[in-house]
Amino acid sequence: AQSVTQLDSHVSVSEGTPVLLRCNYSSSYSPSLFWYVQHPNKGLQLLLKYTSAATLVKGINGFEAEFKKSETSFHLTKPSAHMSDAAEYFCVVSDQGGGADGLTFGKGTHLIIQP
Amino acid sequence: SQTIHQWPATLVQPVGSPLSLECTVEGTSNPNLYWYRQAAGRGLQLLFYSVGIGQISSEVPQNLSASRPQDRQFILSSKKLLLSDSGFYLCAWSVMLAGGRGKTQYFGPGTRLLVL
């Protein structure tokens, strides 16, 4: 079985300060992990993915995430927030034993950027 | 490169009317296809997925149905819409990752449905 927990439903940071969006997962297999971003009334865009290579993964728009097996975490970070980063972020786990479709989505974290 | 299209982008329909949303994928063959619904302020709910033409799996019982008449075409339908069908509908396709490590999904732009 697989599951994913996004620890914060809302995160608010000031523009120019660091961003941390937390995600913990569980998996009975060797999982792949993803972060997606969704701006209002838009589809989900893949930010980055971990599939077994380097544990520190760099994505688009300056985001990165680190896979920590010992902590079963895959937190998303960015050194300096920009107003355009305001959006909903989803953490996703996928493995060979996943649900009917093999993927499990977190419930999302709403990132608010204060000017 | 692969692209995924959805239409219409926005739809306003009266209760009891039929529905047809279309999704097409370009640049790939035999993709797994998915329909999700996202209600206001909520996460993603998987509605249907398909591993091939004519093969549909339903995840949630409801008044919606899906069909896959062609390899890269996925259609979401209803005979009679309910108020609760309002939401943002997302189509996605996936590719298997090497080593049995699951799938990567790519999403379309979505359709905003408002049932009045």
Side-chain angles (χ1 to χ4, degrees):
Chain A
Q2 58 181 214
S3 68
V4 61
T5 302
Q6 291 184 241
L7 297 163
D8 307 291
S9 60
H10 292 78
V11 169
S12 180
V13 302
S14 298
E15 189 176 19
T17 65
V19 175
L20 170 64
L21 304 184
R22 298 182 294 167
C23 173
N24 286 101
Y25 72 92
S26 69
S27 172
S28 303
Y29 303 89
S30 297
S32 294
L33 292 152
F34 310 84
W35 277 100
Y36 288 86
V37 60
Q38 185 182 30
H39 289 91
N41 292 310
K42 301 290 185 183
L44 275 70
Q45 180 184 18
L46 182 63
L47 269 181
L48 49 79
K49 63 181 177 183
Y50 164 78
T51 58
S52 81
T55 56
L56 181 62
V57 183
K58 295 189 184 296
I60 61 173
N61 301 336
F63 284 95
E64 62 182 37
E66 187 170 7
F67 173 72
K68 291 187 176 180
K69 187 176 181 179
S70 61
E71 298 176 11
T72 60
S73 69
F74 191 58
H75 302 333
L76 182 70
T77 61
K78 182 173 180 177
S80 176
H82 191 274
M83 293 299 292
S84 61
D85 295 327
E88 192 83 12
Y89 291 79
F90 293 94
C91 183
V92 180
V93 62
S94 181
D95 64 31
Q96 61 182 6
D101 63 330
L103 299 110
T104 300
F105 282 77
K107 294 187 183 302
T109 298
H110 187 60
L111 178 61
I112 300 163
I113 310 297
Q114 306 280 3
Chain B
S1 64
Q2 300 87 3
T3 55
I4 179 169
H5 305 278
Q6 286 187 244
W7 63 90
T10 305
L11 191 60
V12 181
Q13 292 284 97
V15 170
S17 64
L19 173 74
S20 181
L21 303 181
E22 190 164 344
C23 170
T24 58
V25 180
E26 296 176 358
T28 186
S29 296
N30 195 31
N32 283 6
L33 296 172
Y34 309 80
W35 278 112
Y36 289 88
R37 177 169 59 201
Q38 193 175 28
R42 303 184 69 178
L44 289 164
Q45 178 188 31
L46 178 64
L47 301 176
F48 302 94
Y49 75 99
S50 171
V51 299
I53 296 173
Q55 301 177 63
I56 310 293
S57 296
S58 174
E59 290 298 297
V60 182
Q62 60 219 323
N63 69 319
L64 299 171
S65 62
S67 62
R68 186 169 177 175
Q70 300 180 44
D71 181 44
R72 290 169 287 177
Q73 184 184 31
F74 204 25
I75 297 171
L76 183 68
S77 304
S78 174
K79 293 181 179 178
K80 287 186 176 182
L81 282 169
L82 307 173
L83 286 174
S84 58
D85 291 325
S86 293
F88 193 51
Y89 288 81
L90 289 159
C91 182
W93 69 277
S94 70
V95 57
M96 291 297 297
L97 294 166
R101 300 186 71 97
K103 307 180 180 72
T104 301
Q105 268 190 336
Y106 299 93
F107 287 82
T111 295
R112 174 71 60 190
L113 172 66
L114 180 60
V115 182
L116 301 175

